[in-house]
Amino acid sequence: MSFDVQFPGLGLEFTINRVALSIGGFNIYWYGVIIAAGMVLAMLFAFRNADDFGINSDRLIDVILVGAVMAIVCARIYYIVFAPFKYESIWQMIDIRQGGIAIYGAVIGAFVFGGLMAKIRRIPILPLFDLVGICFLIGQGVGRWGNFVNQEAFGSNTTLPWGMYSEGTCNYLSSVQETLAAQGVAVDPSLPVHPTFLYESIWCLLGFFLLWAYMKRRKFHGELILMYVMWYGAERFFVEGLRTDSLYVGPFRISQLVSVALCAVGVVMLRRILRRPAAGAAGEAQPGEAGCVPAPGQAAADMPASGDAGAACAEQATADVPALVEEQGDAPEHAPEEGQRP
């Protein structure tokens, strides 16, 4: 249950035990512990910053519970559907301690089912997705280290100084060498490989810090989630091209297809929104006005209190009355008599 992991170019070597602890003969793996740690850190960030997005923290709990569970379920289903082999039993299908979950499945599950729960709990969708996008970068950045412990999700051979080698990489490449050769990828199991999990971890954590720094300056609701899909999609497209365990549909790597689609949608939508005239010119309610979620950069506490909002509405209604009466010059000057239809 352990690997001797080497980084020959850096002169580093580690012995990694995949099992964190055993309880009554049941093993708890570091893979699951690390994934859980990433989820916990993401949730802490969400609760700490919910008010800045106009989201009620109590209602957010329901969304997180549903989104987190369905993210894991959908990530596993996604992997099973596209896995290049068949599982022998239901237990093998649900046992994720050996790995075998797909991040895009998790993203789809979290956004679809979390979004449905948000509708039920009356949480604003776009601000929620903005917050979730940042949280996903935390979870992904931390969770990728579970791949390191399992010695999976690595790439083809490399001569770069940070190339990685272990018994795990050697055994896996030996088992798929012919398959990779048929796909045009030549590998030598005895040589170091790209630690692609490390590339993705660094990219996601960098993206988190950038979006966190930009969070207060966002221009519209939905901007951060668009930045997330473009940021992650661009990285995943290139890193996926290095990996040796990609899921395929025909001759194409599924994750690359999804990444291209996400980047294209993100770019098109961002350009269209930024080119659109300001909504205020058409008299539409703007984020931060009474009855709306907080404007980007405006905390919920800074919004007008309900009493202030009602007073403002009443004042506006009173101001509109003279104009209305003036327009209706033909209106009767006296109230209708009893029994008379007005």
Side-chain angles (χ1 to χ4, degrees):
M1 291 290 184
S2 62
F3 295 108
D4 290 325
V5 183
Q6 304 173 24
F7 292 86
L10 301 177
L12 299 176
E13 183 174 351
F14 307 94
T15 298
I16 299 174
N17 192 335
R18 294 178 53 226
V19 178
L21 69 153
S22 296
I23 302 177
F26 183 83
N27 292 331
I28 297 177
Y29 289 83
W30 278 113
Y31 179 84
V33 172
I34 294 173
I35 294 293
M39 294 176 65
V40 169
L41 290 174
M43 286 188 287
L44 291 175
F45 181 89
F47 286 121
R48 184 177 181 84
N49 294 276
D51 286 347
D52 291 337
F53 289 81
I55 298 173
N56 182 282
S57 297
D58 292 334
R59 296 180 181 183
L60 182 62
I61 294 175
D62 296 335
V63 175
I64 288 177
L65 289 176
V66 172
V69 171
M70 294 310 300
I72 297 173
V73 172
C74 291
R76 186 59 171 174
I77 292 174
Y78 186 103
Y79 185 86
I80 291 173
V81 169
F82 296 108
F85 55 86
K86 293 183 179 180
Y87 289 89
E88 298 179 358
S89 66
I90 295 295
W91 172 248
Q92 284 189 346
M93 290 184 180
I94 64 176
D95 182 13
I96 64 173
R97 294 176 300 164
Q98 307 296 326
I101 59 176
I103 186 61
Y104 275 135
V107 171
I108 293 170
F111 280 103
V112 171
F113 292 97
L116 289 175
M117 180 52 68
K119 280 288 188 183
I120 295 173
R121 298 294 284 140
R122 298 182 179 181
I123 291 178
I125 295 294
L126 290 181
L128 173 67
F129 283 1
D130 281 337
L131 179 59
V132 169
I134 302 177
C135 293
F136 254 97
L137 290 172
I138 300 174
Q140 291 171 258
V142 174
R144 276 301 174 191
W145 286 92
N147 299 135
F148 172 64
V149 175
N150 270 7
Q151 282 296 281
E152 61 186 8
F154 48 82
S156 54
N157 296 129
T158 181
T159 56
L160 293 171
W162 51 82
M164 178 183 70
Y165 172 83
S166 73
E167 183 181 355
T169 64
C170 181
N171 291 342
Y172 176 78
L173 291 181
S174 297
S175 67
V176 298
Q177 192 169 14
E178 293 183 4
T179 302
L180 292 174
Q183 297 168 352
V185 180
V187 295
D188 185 341
S190 64
L191 295 178
V193 297
H194 283 283
T196 50
F197 71 87
L198 176 62
Y199 302 162
E200 184 155 321
S201 176
I202 293 174
W203 186 261
C204 287
L205 293 177
L206 175 61
F208 160 69
F209 285 112
L210 291 176
L211 289 188
W212 187 18
Y214 183 75
M215 188 174 72
K216 299 290 187 181
R217 296 191 292 273
R218 61 193 190 280
K219 299 178 179 63
F220 57 89
H221 298 304
E223 183 179 15
L224 297 183
I225 189 58
L226 291 178
M227 290 181 171
Y228 163 76
V229 298
M230 291 186 294
W231 178 267
Y232 181 67
E235 173 270 330
R236 186 58 185 266
F237 177 83
F238 290 105
V239 170
E240 190 69 22
L242 298 174
R243 287 178 58 163
T244 54
D245 60 346
S246 298
L247 302 177
Y248 282 82
V249 54
F252 302 104
R253 300 174 191 247
I254 298 172
S255 290
Q256 286 189 318
L257 294 179
V258 176
S259 296
V260 169
L262 287 177
C263 286
V265 170
V267 169
V268 170
M269 291 187 67
L270 192 60
R271 289 191 59 175
R272 290 187 63 181
I273 292 173
L274 291 178
R275 284 182 171 183
R276 197 168 57 188
E284 299 178 6
Q286 294 297 296
E289 294 181 355
C292 296
V293 296
Q298 176 186 18
D302 298 332
M303 293 184 64
S306 57
D308 297 338
C313 291
E315 182 179 348
Q316 180 63 41
T318 304
D320 291 342
V321 168
L324 182 62
V325 173
E326 184 177 347
E327 290 177 2
Q328 297 178 342
D330 297 333
E333 297 181 358
H334 58 278
E337 298 178 0
E338 182 178 358
Q340 179 180 3
R341 184 185 300 275

